Amino acid sequence: MLATGLVAAASGMQAAADETPTTRLTLTATVDGRNAPLSGEFQGFSVESADFAHGYLTKERMAERLRTLGPQGVIRLGGYSMDLVWPAFGAWSDVPAPPKAIGGTVDQSDLNNLKQLLDDTGWKVTLGAPLKTVIDPSKIKNPLRDPSPDVSLEQVVAEAKAAYETLGDDLLGVELGNEYDNVTTLTDAEMWETAKQYRAAIDQALPTAHLKVVAPSANTAKTNTRLDGFVTAALADESTNPQQVLSEVASHWYPWSHCGSSQMTIDQLMSPLTHTNTRSKLAGIMAAGDRLHGTIPMTVNESNSASCSGMPGASNSYATALWSLDYLLQAAQSGVSRLQFHTNTAAICGDFKPRDSADYPISFRYYGAFCAADQAALDANELSATPLYYGIWAFRQVPQGRFVDLDLADGDLDKVRAYAVMGLNGTLTVVLINVQDPGKAESTYDSVTLNLPSSYRRGQQVTLQSSAPAGFASLDAGRITLGGRTVTPAGTAVGTAQSTAVPVEHTSSTVTVAPGTAQIITFSH
């Protein structure tokens, strides 16, 4: 945890708030032992299979960035390029990759390097498997768009076998394609039968591994129609228990889009609408999980702010630091087992490639968690943390425990987001996020009075903030600090850790949160 700093900083913030328009709110924390737990493996990244095939993910530079986020997490290998890579294992070890394999070749050396990364960080992984050339060719929506190398199910199984033999239990599952409903005409029942087919083939090659599949990884619609249909098909199949096939039930979610002519603004990203739409999406996912009686983890294994690589000027702005912190806590509180942000792993900031470029599968994403300032920085293994990374890092300061109810009204979502977690040792961590743009004159301080569930003696807060005058629109991640600390291009946290005392009167505490900041407050007995 971050070390204690000076109380003067909190006093200064209160003095500033006394002279600035302030919104006053009261929130009551109520313990409910049925609420969702917050685990150490909740967060992770989704990475293009092409990044893995090119060795970018497994370069030594990535380990430090994962370690800074903590010793637990899950990497999903997949995305758009899942059907564009060539698995070179077993009988295909020495077969040259065909021209259509623009995502690169995955071989044993990649798995060996991945094992080193996982050993160094404590993280785990799911492996994406090609789908388009395994199924009936007549089921492909548009065969001329992104034509895929001819990978068979036997070739997929050879890769899965090599991956399990290399990674062991650090391999959590094998994912079937990417957003099958966007690229195929498979019905829900056909996708379920395909999942069974993959599972049976893998089980035959690895009879004692019990390696299961990840599906259906449907698209990002606010509704969960394809997810519900897939679960319905699985439950209707009396020959197989879904638990025998699926290691997790995966969904994708991007609240906004930059595909085609679609646009996203910072105001839209930070709006109550984004929050409530996300809440509906997550509730639908968990409703599907309830139909499975909670026996299979429900995950959002690919997500970010806007689909199609993010929105320039918004997805890479300071606003995403607060948005991602809010989203991670919202998703965890919903009961979803894991949330993984899609990111690039080796790109120069802003060096975006068009979709028809051969480099597109490994190009810069505006919503990425890290990027290199220039080619020299990339060559020196220096990847700067983006605002998204800072939001994830802030989330990792919240200890494991169980969520506590806070009665925040929807009418206040334009001012603040609030969460509380009861730690395993009885401490209470409250996260308050002022979602008002510090660059706008009409933004107010939030003065939040907390009615605590029991009596506490001490309170300490850590602040996520940016010193950039542009407010939410700032693209300068170097001005962001978390408790006075920053992340270097080498991936390590530096600076003097700072926290400030929060006044507490037994079961009550009032906390002031400046516009465009988040306070992570820990109350202890």
Side-chain angles (χ1 to χ4, degrees):
M1 297 301 294
L2 298 175
T4 302
L6 299 176
V7 179
S11 301
M13 180 176 289
Q14 183 61 54
D18 291 342
E19 302 172 1
T20 306
T22 300
T23 299
R24 302 188 186 280
L25 306 97
T26 299
L27 301 177
T28 298
T30 306
V31 175
D32 186 339
R34 299 168 298 177
N35 284 351
L38 178 61
S39 71
E41 287 189 358
F42 178 79
Q43 65 90 41
F45 289 114
S46 168
V47 173
E48 288 289 333
S49 296
D51 282 44
F52 177 48
H54 284 78
Y56 296 143
L57 168 68
T58 51
K59 279 187 176 291
E60 185 178 352
R61 62 185 171 213
M62 196 55 57
E64 197 63 52
R65 283 149 190 83
L66 300 183
R67 279 194 293 263
T68 295
L69 296 178
Q72 294 172 295
V74 178
I75 300 168
R76 174 240 185 183
L77 303 174
Y80 154 83
S81 60
M82 197 182 297
D83 281 295
L84 300 175
V85 297
W86 182 253
F89 299 93
W92 296 267
S93 296
D94 298 319
V95 177
K100 292 179 182 178
I102 64 172
T105 297
V106 177
D107 59 22
Q108 186 60 45
S109 67
D110 294 309
L111 291 178
N112 293 341
N113 291 335
L114 179 60
K115 176 174 173 52
Q116 185 65 54
L117 177 69
L118 301 181
D119 288 347
D120 287 347
T121 62
W123 284 45
K124 297 182 180 180
V125 70
T126 62
L127 177 68
L131 173 70
K132 289 168 61 177
T133 58
V134 172
I135 63 173
D136 182 345
S138 68
K139 295 292 184 178
I140 302 300
K141 278 187 178 180
N142 186 353
L144 298 180
R145 183 184 184 189
D146 304 327
S148 304
D150 189 11
V151 177
S152 65
L153 180 57
E154 292 76 16
Q155 193 172 353
V156 168
V157 170
E159 180 180 14
K161 184 174 186 292
Y164 181 78
E165 290 173 346
T166 305
L167 306 176
D169 291 340
D170 285 342
L171 177 62
L172 300 180
V174 178
E175 185 179 6
L176 276 62
N178 181 68
E179 298 184 1
Y180 81 98
D181 49 332
N182 276 341
V183 298
T184 81
T185 61
L186 290 173
T187 65
D188 302 322
E190 288 170 338
M191 185 59 180
W192 167 244
E193 289 299 323
T194 302
K196 289 169 57 180
Q197 179 188 12
Y198 273 66
R199 170 71 174 99
I202 293 171
D203 195 49
Q204 185 175 4
L206 293 164
T208 62
H210 306 295
L211 185 61
K212 302 176 186 179
V213 301
V214 177
S217 302
N219 71 23
T220 67
K222 185 173 71 173
T223 59
N224 290 288
T225 304
R226 302 313 299 264
L227 176 66
D228 290 334
F230 180 80
V231 170
T232 297
L235 291 172
D237 184 358
E238 297 181 356
S239 69
T240 307
N241 187 324
Q243 291 175 263
Q244 297 174 318
V245 177
L246 301 167
S247 62
E248 63 187 73
V249 177
S251 297
H252 294 179
W253 174 238
Y254 291 83
W256 297 96
S257 171
H258 189 216
C259 305
S261 61
S262 299
Q263 304 285 307
M264 178 193 73
T265 66
I266 291 174
D267 286 345
Q268 287 175 324
L269 180 65
M270 303 303 293
S271 69
L273 178 62
T274 296
H275 186 89
T276 55
N277 281 348
T278 299
R279 182 170 63 196
S280 296
K281 176 70 174 182
L282 295 169
I285 292 171
M286 293 312 300
D290 289 342
R291 294 174 61 202
L292 295 166
H293 308 292
T295 57
I296 303 173
M298 307 298 290
T299 66
V300 181
N301 72 341
E302 180 183 322
S303 192
N304 219 299
S305 53
S307 53
C308 291
S309 297
M311 185 74 202
S315 296
N316 54 340
S317 71
Y318 170 59
T320 61
L322 298 186
W323 167 77
S324 58
L325 173 60
D326 176 38
Y327 180 25
L328 281 161
L329 288 163
Q330 183 185 24
Q333 188 173 40
S334 77
V336 167
S337 295
R338 190 186 318 125
L339 171 62
Q340 289 160 283
F341 286 106
H342 202 52
T343 183
N344 42 251
T345 60
I348 298 171
C349 303
D351 186 22
F352 180 78
K353 300 291 194 303
R355 191 179 180 91
D356 59 358
S357 167
D359 292 331
Y360 176 77
I362 53 173
S363 71
F364 172 76
R365 306 288 199 261
Y366 289 101
Y367 53 45
F370 14 68
C371 56
D374 50 34
Q375 186 61 51
L378 187 61
D379 293 342
N381 291 328
E382 295 180 348
L383 296 178
S384 298
T386 68
L388 175 71
Y389 186 94
Y390 277 92
I392 300 170
W393 189 31
F395 169 76
R396 294 293 283 185
Q397 309 309 306
V398 181
Q400 296 181 47
R402 189 171 294 275
F403 280 92
V404 171
D405 289 331
L406 288 177
D407 56 344
L408 178 67
D410 280 1
D412 294 322
L413 288 174
D414 62 336
K415 299 290 192 297
V416 69
R417 312 287 162 80
Y419 303 90
V421 175
M422 183 70 71
L424 303 178
N425 60 356
T427 61
L428 180 71
T429 300
V430 176
V431 180
L432 300 174
I433 308 168
N434 188 327
V435 293
Q436 300 172 86
D437 190 343
K440 294 183 177 180
E442 64 269 25
S443 295
T444 66
Y445 277 71
D446 292 330
S447 178
V448 183
T449 297
L450 298 166
N451 294 323
L452 305 173
S454 62
S455 180
Y456 290 91
R457 295 180 58 191
R458 293 178 295 277
Q460 292 290 138
Q461 69 182 8
V462 170
T463 305
L464 173 65
Q465 61 187 342
S466 170
S467 61
F472 279 165
S474 170
L475 305 182
D476 186 359
R479 303 289 289 272
I480 303 173
T481 56
L482 175 62
R485 308 185 80 196
T486 61
V487 177
T488 71
T492 57
V494 297
T496 301
Q498 300 172 357
S499 67
T500 56
V502 173
V504 122
E505 291 292 335
H506 303 295
T507 61
S508 180
S509 178
T510 298
V511 180
T512 300
V513 190
T517 69
Q519 299 291 356
I520 304 171
I521 311 125
T522 300
F523 296 101
S524 56
H525 295 291

